Amino acid sequence: MLCLEDFYILQSPFVQEVKQLLPLPANVVFCSLLPDGSMQNLSGDVVVAGGTGDDQMTFRTSPWLLDNRLIVPLQLERDEHLAIIISEVDPAFLKKISTTWVEEFQRSLKERFERIRLGYVNPETELYNRRAATLFLQQSASEKTVFFFLLNTVFYRRTAAGNLQKTREIAALLQALTQGYCFSFGYGVFGFLLQAQTREQALKTAHYLQHQFKREGLSKVQMGFSQIVAAEEQEKTNVLDRFWWALAIAEKRGPFGICDIDALDERRLHPFQLAQPDLLERLQGKWRGLARFSLAVLAPQSDAGNSFQLDECIQHILPAGGFYVGGGENLCLILFPNATADSTRRSIETLSTACREYFGEGNVSIGVAAWPCLDFSKSDIPGNCLKALLHCSFLGPGSVVFFDHLSLNISGDSFFEEGDYRTAIREYRRGLRLQPGDVNLMNSLGVALVEYNQERQAAVCFQDVLHQDPDNYMALVNLGHVRQTMGQKENALDCFERAYRLLAKKDVAGQELFLPLGRLYIERGDHEKAVEIFEHWRTRPGSEKEFILFRFLGQCYLESGRPDEAIRACQRALHLFPQDSISLSTLGVLYVEQEEGRDVGLALCRKALALDNFNPDHWCRLSRALLHTGSNVEALEAVKQCLRLKRNHAEGVLQLGRIHMAMGHDNPAKKRFLQVIAMKGRTEKQAAQARGYLAGFSDSAG
């Protein structure tokens, strides 16, 4: 099962194996082989150009000599072709080498590579293992910017087999979502490589993956990541230690914590901290013994360039009562000892006017903070000034901001984006102490609490928002999510429906609403309403890449009597995620019932069970397909397995009644239909179907 990516990840042991088989020292390079004879290294750069440019040429299968290089082709899986380029060998040896020896060398390589590969693959997930990750990270990094992620996933299944099944499901989904090289470390820990131009893109990917895994019911998805550096730049320690450290910090940040260890190195303990310890020491010397003080941090705008030196000109603009502490990192600090709020405001107005006159309009922003303030220590005040400066960036060049609740909202958002939810929660709560009842802060706090799995506290925040603003769209959506997590489905549905009615009036994307609302409609058996929601979702940008949208569309179209559309939706879902077991089993039922191929349909249903045989819905759909083909006994066994996994599976009980009816077992069938009607978890549609079957018995008796 060799593929080209094996020769990228396992390059070192594969090269070593080739060299051991050669009688003389040589240089070995692996390339992909194209039909026109071109050869590209595995990062995509052309090593040897094609001779004819004819893309329809047949791949060469026998070794050949090219400019004193021996080219050995290998055909791999997935219709991929590899070229092993052996160079820096004595040309005389290459001319004398026998054809028989080269052919035997070629035949033995593939078998040897496959045997080596087994030692670097996790047998359960079929992903590369920890040993492969360590090997790859020890190699020199490519010229492209590549990040390595280590993520911890936490879920709960009642059995060991169920845990293994879920692990395989996560591995398949991770591969589909990242489209890159993935690794399995065991115990729900995975790694993957990501090519991204910036850390902001990498951070965006982390949030995206967490969002997708939360949809699949995972209770924790924590990620630590770092950019891969060249081997010679790495510390002489275990190359994975740095990523484990990042993951450990992410775990402390909450159930969905994220940590970019590079950012921590660059920004010290957090992004709102002075870089120069000596500057903080000077400040401490000046505020020692003061009962109160204010601090102003001046920052020139980035587009101002070096047209002026703020540090050199500060004495000309220093207000009375201000003390110039010093500067660094393009910042200047001015302390106002024993300043009151009024005197500070007057001094800053004077300072701002002087900056405009001296340096030009909009060239200097000023962040101001005072002590005492809430529970902040004196050493926290420079950080508060930096938060105020971040606040300035939202207001435009040359702004002046006095640290307040909005500054804390913005700094909380910054920590939230970094995946540090614990610190974000602290910032939002501090903001609410400065401005009790602020709607934005309460919404932000609620969302952060959700990421920390504190649903009850989050619900209080969203309820407080709705008490002030009953039509607050995001509060309704967020409260709906919390209610759904807490099992309060009717309350959740009410919140989502209220939000949906507001959607036409609000300029928002709506994706955060469509999935949970549609799911609740499916659970209630309101498939027509669910179709309306999902079709609305489909009109939004980016929806064509959402496999879960097409999964649910396929199910809803099936139950709404629209089989052709259901087939197309399931096929689209499987194009995006080939191992989506739900779409596989749904498509299997559709193929059988629409006479598109009985054997293919049943094979799809069984493939879904091979991926997840703990899903009672899969067994129920297999039973439905078997019943349609007249295989009543097999259908009976399948639905019994469904009910072993979930005794109160309403559709399973209804299906059992249908099977008994098909087999002529009237009394057991009636019993099952009556059971469906009495069940708490059944839908109105299922109850109506059961009554219809019972009415059929009455008509027959009449």
Side-chain angles (χ1 to χ4, degrees):
M1 296 296 290
L2 289 169
C3 59
L4 283 174
E5 69 178 33
D6 294 326
F7 292 85
Y8 180 68
I9 298 295
L10 307 178
Q11 180 183 143
S12 179
F14 284 177
V15 166
Q16 190 61 33
E17 186 69 15
V18 176
K19 288 182 176 181
Q20 287 181 354
L21 290 175
L22 292 170
L24 294 175
N27 183 55
V28 178
V29 176
F30 297 126
C31 293
S32 60
L33 178 62
L34 304 182
D36 66 350
S38 297
M39 285 173 271
Q40 298 178 339
N41 63 29
L42 298 182
S43 62
D45 299 325
V46 175
V47 175
V48 177
T52 67
D54 183 1
D55 289 343
Q56 303 303 316
M57 283 184 59
T58 303
F59 283 99
R60 298 184 68 167
T61 58
S62 299
W64 73 95
L65 289 175
L66 178 66
D67 299 331
N68 292 326
R69 291 177 291 183
L70 175 62
I71 313 298
V72 181
L74 287 183
Q75 183 171 352
L76 309 176
E77 303 296 329
R78 309 175 190 171
D79 198 28
E80 295 175 333
H81 294 261
L82 177 80
I84 305 173
I85 302 178
I86 300 171
S87 60
E88 299 180 17
V89 184
D90 183 358
F93 169 76
L94 291 178
K95 291 177 181 178
K96 295 178 182 178
I97 195 170
S98 71
T99 303
T100 303
W101 184 91
V102 174
E103 290 175 349
E104 178 59 31
F105 173 74
Q106 181 189 32
R107 279 194 296 270
S108 66
L109 277 177
K110 191 171 181 181
E111 180 182 340
R112 287 171 176 269
F113 288 152
E114 287 176 342
R115 190 163 55 244
I116 291 171
R117 181 183 182 276
L118 290 175
Y120 292 93
V121 173
N122 182 296
E124 287 297 334
T125 62
E126 298 183 359
L127 301 181
Y128 297 114
N129 59 19
R130 177 176 181 150
R131 185 183 177 204
T134 303
L135 177 71
F136 177 80
L137 292 172
Q138 285 173 338
Q139 300 171 8
S140 296
S142 69
E143 295 180 359
K144 299 177 181 178
T145 305
V146 180
F147 293 86
F148 183 78
F149 284 73
L150 200 60
L151 60 154
N152 178 39
T153 62
V154 177
F155 51 87
Y156 176 72
R157 289 283 180 93
R158 286 179 294 179
T159 63
N163 283 325
L164 289 175
Q165 186 76 54
K166 188 65 176 179
T167 300
R168 287 194 290 268
E169 180 184 324
I170 294 170
L173 183 56
L174 181 65
Q175 282 186 298
L177 293 174
T178 60
Q179 296 292 310
Y181 304 109
C182 300
F183 304 83
S184 177
F185 290 73
Y187 302 101
V189 178
F190 298 90
F192 69 92
L193 297 172
L194 174 74
Q195 283 191 7
Q197 293 182 350
T198 63
R199 69 171 297 274
E200 286 72 24
Q201 290 181 355
L203 198 57
K204 185 176 180 180
T205 298
H207 285 293
Y208 167 75
L209 289 175
Q210 285 185 331
H211 178 64
Q212 295 294 331
F213 282 127
K214 285 176 73 176
R215 287 177 170 183
E216 297 300 313
L218 272 67
S219 60
K220 290 184 180 181
V221 184
Q222 297 149 326
M223 297 191 192
F225 70 95
S226 172
Q227 184 177 341
I228 298 176
V229 298
E232 58 269 17
E233 297 177 21
Q234 297 174 12
E235 295 181 5
K236 303 300 182 181
T237 58
N238 187 331
V239 292
L240 278 171
D241 284 350
R242 182 171 178 75
F243 300 100
W244 284 113
W245 179 29
L247 182 58
I249 295 172
E251 289 173 325
K252 293 178 181 178
R253 291 179 169 182
F256 296 93
I258 300 172
C259 176
D260 171 11
I261 201 67
D262 296 333
L264 278 191
D265 288 349
E266 293 169 5
R267 302 182 185 187
R268 285 77 49 195
L269 296 177
H270 59 74
F272 304 108
Q273 186 180 48
L274 292 176
Q276 295 177 304
D278 60 326
L279 194 57
L280 181 59
E281 289 177 5
R282 269 182 275 164
L283 270 172
Q284 290 171 335
K286 296 301 178 184
W287 68 40
R288 186 173 292 115
L290 295 179
R292 62 175 178 267
F293 63 84
S294 294
L295 181 67
V297 176
L298 283 64
Q301 298 303 304
S302 57
D303 58 359
N306 295 318
S307 59
F308 56 84
Q309 295 294 327
L310 186 60
D311 186 63
E312 295 176 4
C313 303
I314 200 71
Q315 298 297 335
H316 300 285
I317 62 172
L318 189 64
F323 181 84
Y324 176 53
V325 179
E329 284 196 332
N330 222 19
L331 301 173
C332 288
L333 280 64
I334 299 175
L335 184 71
F336 297 93
N338 298 313
T340 64
D342 290 339
S343 66
T344 299
R345 201 164 286 275
R346 288 193 298 270
S347 297
I348 297 302
E349 288 176 1
T350 302
L351 181 62
S352 177
T353 301
C355 285
R356 289 195 300 272
E357 294 174 351
Y358 206 88
F359 303 118
E361 188 72 32
N363 273 330
V364 178
S365 295
I366 305 175
V368 187
W371 184 86
C373 176
L374 301 178
D375 58 343
F376 291 109
S377 68
K378 290 181 179 179
S379 297
D380 292 327
I381 302 308
N384 287 351
C385 291
L386 297 179
K387 294 171 188 177
L389 280 175
L390 180 60
H391 187 173
C392 285
S393 67
F394 290 86
L395 302 178
S399 300
V400 177
V401 168
F402 290 81
F403 175 78
D404 61 4
H405 66 287
L406 293 178
S407 306
L408 284 165
N409 200 344
I410 292 169
S411 64
D413 291 346
S414 175
F415 285 114
F416 187 96
E417 288 301 315
E418 292 289 331
D420 189 353
Y421 301 115
R422 182 171 60 178
T423 305
I425 289 169
R426 184 180 63 193
E427 294 289 275
Y428 295 140
R429 282 179 167 156
R430 283 169 166 168
L432 285 167
R433 287 169 62 188
L434 288 177
Q435 188 72 23
D438 183 84
V439 169
N440 290 329
L441 278 166
M442 286 192 291
N443 246 333
S444 298
L445 176 59
V447 172
L449 287 167
V450 168
E451 297 295 335
Y452 219 72
N453 283 353
Q454 300 291 327
E455 283 82 7
R456 294 187 183 279
Q457 294 182 46
V460 173
C461 293
F462 301 135
Q463 287 169 332
D464 287 345
V465 172
L466 292 170
H467 180 72
Q468 294 185 51
D469 181 7
D471 290 338
N472 188 292
Y473 172 81
M474 285 312 304
L476 284 168
V477 173
N478 290 329
L479 183 58
H481 280 290
V482 170
R483 294 299 191 204
Q484 192 172 25
T485 302
M486 297 170 68
Q488 301 171 6
K489 294 184 180 180
E490 290 301 318
N491 289 335
L493 183 61
D494 176 66
C495 290
F496 290 142
E497 287 181 331
R498 286 168 59 191
Y500 190 68
R501 288 193 292 270
L502 292 167
L503 197 57
K505 306 174 188 177
K506 302 288 184 181
D507 185 20
V508 293
Q511 278 87 335
E512 66 285 330
L513 171 63
F514 297 138
L515 179 59
L517 178 55
R519 266 180 164 164
L520 285 174
Y521 281 142
I522 290 174
E523 290 179 18
R524 291 166 60 90
D526 294 335
H527 293 97
E528 289 77 12
K529 287 185 178 180
V531 165
E532 176 191 337
I533 300 300
F534 292 132
E535 287 182 341
H536 188 173
W537 184 1
R538 196 171 179 178
T539 65
R540 299 306 175 95
S543 62
E544 288 299 311
K545 298 179 181 179
E546 294 278 5
F547 78 89
I548 201 167
L549 164 60
F550 293 97
R551 170 204 287 178
F552 285 122
L553 268 175
Q555 289 181 291
C556 293
Y557 285 145
L558 169 63
E559 299 301 331
S560 301
R562 299 161 66 176
D564 292 341
E565 292 170 278
I567 288 173
R568 288 194 293 271
C570 289
Q571 289 172 337
R572 177 62 182 168
L574 291 169
H575 174 75
L576 295 168
F577 181 24
Q579 292 187 282
D580 181 16
S581 60
I582 296 173
S583 295
L584 281 168
S585 66
T586 304
L587 186 59
V589 169
L590 284 160
Y591 278 170
V592 170
E593 293 184 349
Q594 300 306 306
E595 307 300 335
E596 295 284 343
R598 166 183 169 174
D599 293 341
V600 173
L602 290 175
L604 289 173
C605 290
R606 291 192 170 103
K607 183 178 179 181
L609 285 166
L611 291 169
D612 185 3
N613 62 357
F614 290 91
N615 190 327
D617 294 340
H618 293 355
W619 288 102
C620 190
R621 280 190 281 266
L622 174 62
S623 175
R624 175 173 169 172
L626 288 166
L627 180 60
H628 186 84
T629 64
S631 304
N632 297 342
V633 175
E634 291 181 74
L636 181 62
E637 287 304 312
V639 80
K640 283 182 177 178
Q641 180 60 26
C642 163
L643 294 171
R644 288 189 194 102
L645 290 168
K646 187 177 180 181
R647 186 174 56 184
N648 62 343
H649 193 282
E651 187 63 30
V653 176
L654 187 62
Q655 175 68 9
L656 183 56
R658 294 189 192 105
I659 296 170
H660 282 309
M661 188 168 65
M663 297 174 74
H665 304 157
D666 291 355
N667 287 334
K670 292 178 185 178
K671 180 180 178 181
R672 296 306 177 189
F673 296 141
L674 288 169
Q675 182 182 347
V676 170
I677 294 169
M679 290 180 73
K680 290 183 178 180
R682 53 83 174 157
T683 66
E684 286 300 323
K685 183 177 180 180
Q686 290 165 338
Q689 288 178 328
R691 293 188 188 99
Y693 292 131
L694 288 171
F697 286 117
S698 300
D699 293 342
S700 299

